[in-house]
Amino acid sequence: AQSVTQLGSHVSVSEGALVLLRCNYSSSVPPYLFWYVQYPNQGLQLLLKYTTGATLVKGINGFEAEFKKSETSFHLTKPSAHMSDAAEYFCAVSYGGSQGNLIFGKGTKLSVKP
Amino acid sequence: DAGVIQSPRHEVTEMGQEVTLRCKPISGHNSLFWYRQTMMRGLELLIYFNNNVPIDDSGMPEDRFSAKMPNASFSTLKIQPSEPRDSAVYFCASTAGSGSSYNEQFFGPGTRLTVL
């Protein structure tokens, strides 16, 4: 069965430091790829997505992710962390179809130290 | 569009009581998902509907849980009887499925359920 692996349930960075959140999927067929963010006491909201075309995808709040087919990865990065980036981040994949179901990773909680 | 609407936002009930959570998906979306989120188990898919038909309910924990989607604009998740271990945040999400949406799911704000 397809799965999504997020390395590290908790990542801590200093303000201004690089943010790197890792996501790998298990499939020989490239899926659609998503990153969602969940701020405390809120629902999930889409940060960015990859469907086709350019493999480097830019999202909201300065985040970007690169789809690397050879590595089956879709890691999320941000050059300089801000205190407001503290949240939980979920990677998800979809294989299309009319039903729209996503397979979510277990999430990575990002802490940003002043 | 108002987005996915869930009610109530908070529910506190006593063990053994029936709980009904409600969801209104985004107009025009044809798939609806119910998730449960806890500290211990993270985000779990409970059930999803496509065109009002339940497609996969394998995530429903047990027979105490049931979900319905009587029409395209309304769904309920019912727990009867409720137990303290059902305490969690329940999210509803909807998507337009195939097409230009590429299955992006839109989440509601969630219902925080506490069973005493």
Side-chain angles (χ1 to χ4, degrees), chain A residues 32 34 36 38 41-46 49 51-52 88 90 94-102 104-106 109, chain B residues 9 30-31 33 35 37 39 43 48-50 55 91 95-98 100-109 112:
Chain A
Y32 301 139
F34 304 81
Y36 282 81
Q38 184 182 28
N41 300 313
Q42 296 186 28
L44 280 69
Q45 64 181 86
L46 185 69
K49 64 183 177 185
T51 54
T52 58
E88 189 157 17
F90 293 89
S94 166
Y95 293 91
S98 62
Q99 295 168 4
N101 51 309
L102 293 175
F104 280 91
K106 292 194 179 298
K109 189 162 286 187
Chain B
R9 293 294 311 276
N30 63 340
S31 291
F33 304 79
Y35 293 91
Q37 187 176 42
M39 290 288 289
L43 189 66
Y48 73 93
F49 297 83
N50 183 245
I55 301 300
F91 289 103
T95 184
S98 61
S100 61
S101 69
Y102 296 106
N103 299 356
E104 173 186 345
Q105 289 185 13
F106 294 81
F107 281 74
R112 184 174 295 275

Side-chain angles (χ1 to χ4, degrees), chain B residues 10 20 22 26 28 38 59 71 79 82 87 96 104:
Chain B
H10 301 273
T20 299
R22 297 172 177 78
I26 292 173
T38 60
N71 57 61
I79 308 172
S82 59
S87 298
E104 173 186 345

Side-chain angles (χ1 to χ4, degrees), chain B residues 1-94:
Chain B
D1 199 315
V4 176
I5 299 172
Q6 290 187 248
S7 65
R9 293 294 311 276
H10 301 273
E11 175 81 32
V12 180
T13 190
E14 292 189 347
M15 183 174 64
Q17 296 298 306
E18 177 180 295
V19 174
T20 299
L21 311 181
R22 297 172 177 78
C23 176
K24 177 178 168 52
I26 292 173
S27 177
H29 283 187
N30 63 340
S31 291
L32 182 141
F33 304 79
W34 282 102
Y35 293 91
R36 178 172 70 176
Q37 187 176 42
T38 60
M39 290 288 289
M40 291 295 293
R41 302 172 72 95
L43 189 66
E44 304 173 276
L45 176 65
L46 300 177
I47 185 171
Y48 73 93
F49 297 83
N50 183 245
N51 294 324
N52 311 338
V53 176
I55 301 300
D56 184 355
D57 65 354
S58 59
M60 296 286 261
E62 46 197 278
D63 292 345
R64 297 185 297 107
F65 286 69
S66 62
K68 293 182 180 180
M69 192 163 187
N71 57 61
S73 59
F74 184 65
S75 176
T76 59
L77 178 67
K78 187 175 292 186
I79 308 172
Q80 165 63 19
S82 59
E83 296 182 4
R85 59 192 168 118
D86 302 331
S87 298
V89 181
Y90 292 81
F91 289 103
C92 176
S94 70

